[in-house]
Amino acid sequence: MDITIYGSGYVGLVTGACLAQVGNHVLCVDIDPDKIARLKRGEVPIYEPGLDELIQANMQAGRLDFTLDAAEGVAHGLFQFIAVGTPPDEDGSADLSHVLTVADTIARHMKDYRIIVDKSTVPVGTADRVRDTVSKRLQERGLDIDFDVVSNPEFLKEGAAIDDFMKPDRIVIGTDNPRTTELMRALYAPFNRNHDRLISMDIRSAELTKYAANALLATKISFMNELANLAERLGADIESVRVGIGSDPRIGYHFIYPGCGYGGSCFPKDVQALERTANEVGYQAELLQAVERVNHRQKQRLFEKIQSHFGADLAGRTIALWGLAFKPNTDDMREAPSRVLMEQLWQAGARVRAYDPVAMDECRRIYGERDDLELVDSAEAALEGADALAIVTEWQEFRSPDLDMMRTRLSSPVIFDGRNLYDPERMAREGFRYHAIGRGAPEPA
């Protein structure tokens, strides 16, 4: 099939590459000349495991291309995927200006039937606004061209997005036309062979499903962080509690790991947007408000622990930081707990020496060169002479470190672990002062 995708960011590139991989001809449209030039050279502007190879292979096979020409994009694909950003406005609502601009662009150049697919994460009612935008522009052009609008939300985890697309848990399709449902079913048939994963529903329900999924996952994280803070005060070990409740199949083990808060491009934005949507229809979403408040507070916990240990004045201290990305297997630092911690440390007069396997360039882009930030090329180098180590991202390479090396390189054997990677009793036996989340801090041997 011929497919056009507007937006060559995270969702657009993964969607385009995966659809091309199964034999479709995909054209990705973007307005950024530099990005399109890089993509045409085979340079992928985001980090996602396996994406570089997938894009390059499909470009070489002639199934994937990139363009700045929107008219070419409209002419190319029966399916017109909108995968542009929906950043939060100041009030927390999703900014739909890019989505509606694409809808208007499609309508300006349409000559025959098109299926317009909302792939971006958008509030309930967006498909109606897209339909109105397209209808208005066609009317101005004096044309009566048939088209359909579909909600097809993405459920991609950064770091595992290709597997998520190629082997999905579910494929949600929101339509108001049985013909469109069958066309979408045909499009997704290569990803739906083992058993039927396609779930068809009305458009508004599909739009809400995406927000509901992310809000529920964020709620589980905030709930566990709330329990972790309580466990510290009660002398309980949140890891034991986690295993105890996760063994209940009604609860399960997914997304019940306490830590230093969630970040990224989805959970913070989507919880805020759903809360704003509730306000617009006269409903106060108290649970969503609490989820957001708990997460904001949880991002302060590592700094609070550092100040509790060293005192309020951190001038002259150097804190080693392991992890900058909001989660492993991505370079995304949007809303990352590391940013909150670093900025608090700098405000208190401390220096940060940081390492992350893939997010160093992103950190440089965000913060530039500054005297109180040193980016080093290994986890070991970050420790050299530091007063303490703070662990913010649970990269695999941090899970089983050389404790003798750590103790030797740190000026004092103090660890603040925002991801509960190690056993507190073992760390105490090894001579570390170990501060985790919800686990207490045993005296070192």
Side-chain angles (χ1 to χ4, degrees):
M1 297 185 181
D2 293 331
I3 300 163
T4 300
I5 298 177
Y6 299 90
S8 295
Y10 187 84
V11 173
L13 288 176
V14 172
T15 301
C18 291
L19 287 171
Q21 179 67 12
V22 297
N24 297 297
H25 290 87
V26 179
L27 181 63
C28 294
V29 181
D30 205 281
I31 61 172
D32 184 339
D34 180 62
K35 182 185 289 187
I36 292 296
R38 290 180 62 190
L39 286 165
K40 279 183 169 291
R41 293 194 299 267
E43 301 172 10
V44 180
I46 62 172
Y47 177 82
E48 176 63 33
L51 184 59
D52 294 51
E53 296 84 353
L54 200 63
I55 287 176
Q56 290 162 10
N58 282 284
M59 288 177 65
Q60 291 170 6
R63 294 189 298 265
L64 179 63
D65 201 0
F66 303 91
T67 185
L68 293 164
D69 188 347
E72 181 186 1
V74 177
H76 173 80
L78 167 65
F79 297 93
Q80 302 272 307
F81 278 78
I82 301 178
V84 294
T86 54
D89 274 337
E90 292 182 5
D91 63 358
S93 61
D95 180 358
L96 295 178
S97 59
H98 302 308
V99 171
L100 298 179
T101 296
V102 171
D104 184 68
T105 299
I106 294 170
R108 285 176 180 272
H109 299 288
M110 276 176 60
K111 294 180 180 178
D112 51 13
Y113 176 70
R114 290 292 181 266
I115 300 171
I116 302 171
V117 184
D118 285 337
K119 198 69 175 172
S120 302
T121 299
V122 293
V124 177
T126 298
D128 294 337
R129 296 184 62 181
V130 167
R131 183 179 289 105
D132 291 345
T133 299
V134 174
S135 296
K136 180 180 178 182
R137 179 61 64 185
L138 290 176
Q139 186 176 21
E140 290 176 359
R141 293 177 61 199
L143 298 174
D144 182 17
I145 300 174
D146 191 21
F147 68 95
D148 283 302
V149 179
V150 175
S151 174
N152 174 216
E154 53 87 10
F155 297 97
L156 305 176
K157 298 186 296 291
E158 292 192 44
I162 292 173
D163 274 352
D164 286 343
F165 198 102
M166 301 299 287
K167 296 177 284 188
D169 297 319
R170 74 284 207 199
I171 303 164
V172 173
I173 304 295
T175 68
D176 56 6
N177 185 334
R179 174 188 61 176
T180 314
T181 302
E182 292 310 307
L183 288 169
M184 293 296 293
R185 187 179 294 277
L187 175 65
Y188 277 106
F191 313 98
N192 197 34
R193 294 176 63 85
N194 182 269
H195 63 272
D196 192 2
R197 300 176 176 89
L198 193 140
I199 305 168
S200 177
M201 59 184 73
D202 64 275
I203 293 174
R204 286 184 168 243
S205 296
E207 290 171 333
L208 182 57
T209 296
K210 168 63 176 181
Y211 278 110
N214 279 353
L216 180 56
L217 295 175
T219 299
K220 293 181 73 172
I221 295 171
S222 281
F223 178 74
M224 285 304 294
N225 285 333
E226 193 88 299
L227 285 183
N229 296 334
L230 183 59
E232 285 187 18
R233 289 158 175 78
L234 295 175
D237 184 345
I238 192 61
E239 283 299 299
S240 297
V241 175
R242 180 186 67 80
V243 173
I245 65 175
S247 61
D248 185 334
R250 296 172 301 175
I251 297 172
Y253 291 104
H254 293 297
F255 284 84
I256 61 170
Y257 288 87
C260 51
Y262 60 76
S265 62
C266 295
F267 287 6
K269 174 176 69 71
D270 293 353
V271 170
Q272 290 178 18
L274 187 55
E275 183 184 336
R276 178 64 180 176
T277 296
N279 290 338
E280 290 174 353
V281 294
Y283 182 75
Q284 187 174 3
E286 296 179 6
L287 181 57
L288 295 178
Q289 295 168 10
V291 168
E292 192 175 0
R293 285 196 304 270
V294 169
N295 190 58
H296 176 77
R297 183 179 66 194
Q298 199 67 16
K299 289 181 180 180
Q300 325 293 317
R301 290 295 291 138
L302 282 183
F303 180 73
E304 291 168 359
K305 288 175 178 287
I306 292 170
Q307 273 201 323
S308 177
H309 180 86
F310 289 113
D313 185 7
L314 298 176
R317 300 280 185 186
T318 297
I319 306 298
L321 195 68
W322 281 4
L324 294 164
F326 85 95
K327 62 179 282 188
N329 297 318
T330 180
D331 63 351
D332 194 343
M333 288 181 63
R334 285 174 287 185
E335 303 284 342
S338 64
R339 298 178 64 170
V340 175
L341 177 59
M342 286 193 294
E343 290 165 14
Q344 288 179 312
L345 288 169
W346 293 331
Q347 191 171 7
R351 296 181 72 253
V352 173
R353 186 182 299 126
Y355 167 74
D356 187 284
V358 301
M360 307 285 268
D361 288 342
E362 178 66 4
C363 188
R364 290 188 186 94
R365 185 191 69 80
I366 294 169
Y367 292 112
E369 298 294 329
R370 46 187 302 157
D371 295 337
D372 49 10
L373 173 62
E374 181 184 359
L375 299 176
V376 295
D377 59 5
S378 71
E380 293 78 11
L383 302 176
E384 196 65 51
D387 294 284
L389 166 66
I391 302 172
V392 189
T393 313
E394 63 275 31
W395 285 95
Q396 286 284 354
E397 67 180 85
F398 302 154
R399 291 182 180 270
S400 185
D402 182 337
L403 297 181
D404 290 337
M405 176 276 298
M406 294 174 71
R407 194 168 43 247
T408 300
R409 293 203 176 206
L410 287 167
S411 65
S412 55
V414 182
I415 299 176
F416 301 92
D417 185 355
R419 298 301 177 188
N420 289 357
L421 297 187
Y422 314 132
D423 175 55
E425 296 295 337
R426 183 195 174 195
M427 299 305 287
R429 289 195 304 270
E430 295 285 349
F432 287 90
R433 171 69 73 175
Y434 180 69
H435 302 270
I437 303 293
R439 307 202 69 184
E443 291 292 328

